[in-house]
Amino acid sequence: MSPEVVVALVTAVSVIVAAVITAIPAFVSLARRARGAVEADGAATRDALTAIAARVDARIDDVRDDLDEVREGVAHVREWQAGHDAEHLLMGQRPPRDS
């Protein structure tokens, strides 16, 4: 290699090293601030997720209660239908068929 290329390479490496050394304190400071912000945001996110989970659990309980009511209604209709079919059988008629 020619001496000019060596000088250019040494100069480029020294400029890059100087830039990295100068930027290290800024990166460290930025990392500390970012870590603090993430920890604070993380706590807010966890609190929000806990609140959402509580609302979802409450909604699931409401849906289960609604389903229990529907099941009771269906059971009541089936009991009535069985009694109604029995009445028709006792009267000698065939119960109506569902289409």
Side-chain angles (χ1 to χ4, degrees), residues 2 6 35-36 50 52-53 56 75 92 98:
S2 69
V6 173
R35 184 175 35 237
T50 302
I52 290 170
V56 168
D98 292 36

Side-chain angles (χ1 to χ4, degrees), residues 62-79:
D62 290 345
V63 168
R64 284 184 180 151
D65 292 343
D66 291 345
L67 285 176
D68 289 341
E69 291 176 14
V70 168
R71 285 184 182 123
E72 289 174 7
V74 168
H76 178 71
V77 168
R78 286 182 177 165
E79 290 170 4

Side-chain angles (χ1 to χ4, degrees), residues 20-90:
V20 168
I21 290 172
T22 305
I24 286 175
F27 285 133
V28 169
S29 175
L30 179 64
R32 286 182 184 158
R33 275 188 268 141
R35 184 175 35 237
V38 167
E39 288 173 0
D41 287 344
T45 301
R46 283 188 292 278
D47 293 343
L49 286 175
T50 302
I52 290 170
R55 290 175 53 198
V56 168
D57 288 341
R59 184 65 186 128
I60 287 171
D61 290 340
D62 290 345
V63 168
R64 284 184 180 151
D65 292 343
D66 291 345
L67 285 176
D68 289 341
E69 291 176 14
V70 168
R71 285 184 182 123
E72 289 174 7
V74 168
H76 178 71
V77 168
R78 286 182 177 165
E79 290 170 4
W80 176 87
Q81 188 175 13
H84 183 75
D85 290 347
E87 288 174 351
H88 281 272
L89 287 173
L90 290 173

